Amino acid sequence: MKLEIYADVLCPWCYIGKRRLTAALASLADRDSVELAWRSYELAPEEGRVPGPTAAEAMAGWWGEQAPARITLIRSLGAAEGLELNLHLARPVNTFDAHRLCKLAADHDRADQMMELLLHAYHTEGLNVADPQVLRRLGGAAGLDADDVHAVLAGDDHADQVRADRLRAAELGVTGVPSLVIDGRPPVSGVQPVADLRRLLERGPTGSPGVPAGSDRAG
């Protein structure tokens, strides 16, 4: 089975979904038969590299009076998965280079570790994941060669792959993240309960088009 995960570092639902998917995969008897691939999906390609308002402030602009309750819900669902989602610290930035770094990590079978570090850095530590210094440190923590990381961030390696992922997402009908694509079939939500994800992976999607994914923006 080929399992593609369309995700962005800015999305708290992607962090929640990653935790649930990890648990679902761990319970599979044939886990080794699943080929996992992280796919790039930029939620805010127009963002710059300099952090602005926090995620919580942005959500207040989207949701108005509903924002506090929705933020509380996201944080509580994250906590249930052992995550500390500090939406008052996280500040949306451009994630193009973070996705390129994930592509480098994928070349060394470390994409999952790289994504975990990026998600934690952004959502828990409130770090600027567009900052080359931050990305170099995270790349080293993922076990990547420092010279390789430097070369990627100094140039445009893997840029075409990131753009190709977005085009492929549109072809598949991915409109939000996290989205799962199993063996090229219609996308389904990647933030379902663990038991539902496990059943999905055991039998593969059938019949009707997939359930919409968690978010088409950072909340």
Side-chain angles (χ1 to χ4, degrees), residues 5-183:
I5 312 168
Y6 284 84
D8 191 33
V9 178
L10 301 184
C11 177
W13 295 108
C14 288
Y15 206 1
I16 294 168
K18 185 178 187 298
R19 274 290 189 275
R20 292 179 178 179
L21 182 62
T22 297
L25 286 168
S27 67
L28 291 181
D30 56 348
R31 167 63 181 89
D32 292 340
S33 69
V34 180
E35 177 189 350
L36 190 67
W38 286 94
R39 301 300 187 204
S40 307
Y41 192 101
E42 296 174 87
L43 284 174
E46 74 285 351
E47 288 282 358
R49 297 173 184 272
V50 178
T54 67
E57 290 168 339
M59 291 172 185
W62 302 337
W63 300 327
E65 294 180 356
Q66 297 180 8
R70 296 185 72 167
I71 289 170
T72 297
L73 174 63
I74 292 171
R75 287 176 55 85
S76 64
L77 290 174
E81 304 299 333
L83 303 175
E84 184 180 341
L85 301 178
N86 293 320
L87 302 177
H88 61 293
L89 296 180
R91 294 177 182 272
V93 288
N94 188 284
T95 56
F96 190 74
D97 285 346
H99 284 298
R100 292 199 301 124
L101 190 60
C102 280
K103 295 300 184 186
L104 171 65
D107 289 344
H108 301 278
D109 295 322
R110 295 183 178 275
D112 197 71
Q113 297 96 314
M114 191 72 258
M115 182 58 74
E116 178 70 27
L117 288 164
L118 285 164
L119 289 165
H120 184 271
Y122 177 76
H123 290 287
T124 301
E125 299 181 76
L127 297 181
N128 178 2
V129 291
D131 185 334
Q133 290 187 349
V134 171
L135 292 176
R136 284 195 291 269
R137 179 173 67 78
L138 296 176
L144 301 180
D145 181 84
D147 290 338
D148 290 344
V149 172
H150 178 79
V152 166
L153 297 177
D156 61 358
D157 290 355
H158 304 292
D160 288 346
Q161 288 177 276
V162 174
R163 297 188 184 103
D165 279 356
R166 188 58 189 260
L167 291 175
R168 179 61 174 157
E171 292 173 358
L172 291 168
V174 174
T175 58
V177 291
S179 282
L180 306 181
V181 174
I182 301 176
D183 290 334

